[in-house]
Amino acid sequence: MTIEWRYTVEQDLGVLSVSGYLGPDAVHRFAGAVGWVVGRGRGPVIVDLTGLRGWSAEGQVAITEAARRLAAAGRALELAAIPADGSLVPDGDCPPIPVHPDRAGALAAHGTRPGEPMKGRHEWRTTGWRTDEPRA
């Protein structure tokens, strides 16, 4: 099983929504999504894991690697709605990764309200991403 992803950006806030299972088979796809994020937008990135059914140890390492990659680009990574099957335990040299209980809380921390129209919004997604999903 792999993942699907959607990346939206508005001004200085990016949201990378991930669905599926972030296991060993999906790590490369996730790294590719992070590549899109690094190349598009600026400012903090919220990784919304609301649609994630779970993650493996390799998936958790991929998250911490994404935090390092974004930090190298001058950007911060935050998480929303981590899977119930475990908590993220980054190693000592990983940048801080704030964790929000859900997407709404993560957006509110940046002054954005769910359902509010986003001005200047851009979106990229995998072809398997459901188009009836709510937008940031």
Side-chain angles (χ1 to χ4, degrees), residues 78-104:
E78 301 178 19
L79 297 177
I82 63 172
D85 63 346
S87 61
L88 182 67
V89 183
D91 56 29
D93 68 341
C94 185
I97 303 175
V99 177
H100 303 277
D102 54 27
R103 179 186 180 103

Side-chain angles (χ1 to χ4, degrees), residues 3 17 20 34-35 93 136:
I3 60 166
S17 300
V34 173
D93 68 341

Side-chain angles (χ1 to χ4, degrees), residues 3 7 11 17 21 26 30 33 35 43 46 56 61 67 76-77 83 87 90 98 100 104-106 131 136:
I3 60 166
Y7 179 59
Q11 296 172 1
S17 300
Y21 180 76
F30 180 75
I46 297 167
S56 66
V61 169
L77 180 140
S87 61
H100 303 277
T131 57

Side-chain angles (χ1 to χ4, degrees), residues 1-2 15 18 27 41 50 52 59 72 74 76 80-81 98 102 108 116 128 130 135-136:
M1 179 181 278
T2 189
V15 178
V18 181
V27 168
T50 303
L52 202 65
D102 54 27
E116 222 176 54
R130 292 178 33 197
R135 294 183 170 217

